[in-house]
Amino acid sequence: MGRRKARARGVGGFGALICVLLALLCAVWIAHDLLVARRPLDVWWLWAGEPVRAAGSAVWATTLLDPVLGLACLLAAVAVLRRSPAAPCALTAVALATVLFRAPQLGSLTTDTLSGLEPGLKEWALVTSGVGLVASVLLLIAASAGRGGADQRPGRLRFVPATLAALLLGASGLALAGWQAYWLRELGRAPYWDSVIGDAGAFRSLLQPPENWYLLSLALLALVAAAGLAGRRASARPLGMLAAALLLAHGLAALAAGQHAGLLGRFHALATRSQLDTVTVAFAAVAGLVALLALALAGGRNGPRGPADGPGRPDYAPPPPSDLPPGW
C-alpha cells in the first residue's frame, strides 16, 4: 500500500512538472506577442478579436486561450504539489482542454498557405501543439495513477452551489450549441464543416483554433461539466471551474470588442441577430462568473477511502478477545 502511494506521488510530481511546462509554453508565446506589439494593449485587443496589426511584418501567435490555459496549468500543478484530493481531476480537466484547443493547429500549421512568416516560427508553433497533445496523454496517465494512490476521496459537492453552477454551465453550453446549429443551417453542411476544421488563410494567430471549433469545444466542456455537477460529483468541479473561466473570458472579450466598436452604445439599432449574439456573450460572461464563484464554495468534505474504493481498515472493529468484559 505504501509503495503504491509513493509511486502515485512520483507520477503526480511528474504531472505537476508537465503542467508547469505547458504553462511555460503559453508564457513564452505571450511574451513573443508582447515583443512584436506596437503597444502592450494591442495584445488584449487581439485576444478580444479586434483586427490589430503586429509591428513590421511579424505575426501574432496567441489567443485568449493561452493565458487561461496557462493559469489553469499552474493551478493544477499547485493542487498536485499540495496533494489535494481534487488534483487528479484537475489534471484531467487540463488535459481535455489542451487536446480540444491544440489539436486543430496540427492541420492548419502544416498547410502551404501560411507563407511569409518569420523563419522557424511556424515550426515552433507546430511543436507547441504537438507537445500539448503528448503532454495531455501523460497528464491523463498521471491522473489515473493519482486516483489509485489517494488517501481520501472527494466528498459530494454542496447541493445549492453545485446545482446553480450546473444550470448556468448547461444553459451557456446549450446557447453556444444553438448558435452552431443556426450557422449550420445558414451556411450549409459543407461550408460550415470547412469553418469548423479551419481555413488557414483566415487565421489571426498561429495558435488560434478555428472559431467554430473553439465555440463547439467550449460548449462541449460546459455541457460535460454541467452533467457531472448535476450529480454533485466532486470530480466535475475542476472541469466546471475551467469551463466557467473560459466562458467568463470569452464573454468579457466579446463585450469589450463590442464596446470598443461602439456596438453596445447603439444596441437597439442593431439587427436582431447581432442583438441575440450580444445577449449570448453577456450571459456567458455572467454565467461564467457566477458559476466560478459557486464552485469555489461548493467543496464537500473529504472522506477516507472505504471498502468501495479499495482495501483498507474498516471504520469500526470489535475489541480483541483479551479486552472483552467479563461475562461477554
Side-chain angles (χ1 to χ4, degrees), residues 44-45 47-51 251-264:
W44 160 250
W45 292 120
W47 293 346
E50 290 285 298
L252 287 179
L255 290 175
Q259 175 63 29
H260 190 251
L263 298 180
L264 298 184

Side-chain angles (χ1 to χ4, degrees), residues 76-254:
V78 170
V80 171
L81 295 177
R82 293 180 59 187
R83 298 179 185 174
S84 169
C89 304
L91 294 179
T92 302
V94 168
L96 291 177
T98 302
V99 167
L100 283 174
F101 295 126
R102 293 301 190 209
Q105 286 77 32
L106 292 180
S108 62
L109 291 173
T110 55
T111 60
D112 296 331
T113 56
L114 295 177
S115 58
L117 301 179
E118 302 172 37
L121 190 63
K122 184 175 75 171
E123 288 73 17
W124 278 112
L126 187 60
V127 167
T128 299
S129 299
V131 168
L133 296 185
V134 174
S136 299
V137 176
L138 297 178
L139 286 178
L140 292 175
I141 296 174
S144 178
R147 289 188 184 94
D151 294 324
Q152 292 182 322
R153 55 178 179 178
R156 297 187 73 190
L157 300 176
R158 294 186 176 93
F159 176 76
V160 172
T163 303
L164 177 61
L167 290 174
L168 291 173
L169 291 178
S172 300
L174 289 175
L176 294 176
W179 274 107
Q180 293 304 301
Y182 168 82
W183 287 116
L184 175 60
R185 189 188 67 178
E186 288 291 308
L187 298 176
R189 183 174 301 177
Y192 173 77
W193 178 246
D194 290 339
S195 72
V196 171
I197 62 176
D199 180 5
F203 81 103
R204 290 196 312 269
S205 303
L206 286 175
L207 298 178
Q208 174 193 4
E211 183 68 18
N212 284 331
W213 177 287
Y214 162 68
L215 293 174
L216 277 173
S217 301
L218 184 53
L220 177 63
L221 289 177
L223 291 174
V224 171
L229 293 171
R232 298 170 59 193
R233 298 174 187 169
S235 58
R237 188 185 181 200
L239 182 61
M241 297 186 77
L242 178 56
L246 289 169
L247 284 170
L248 175 60
H250 169 68
L252 287 179

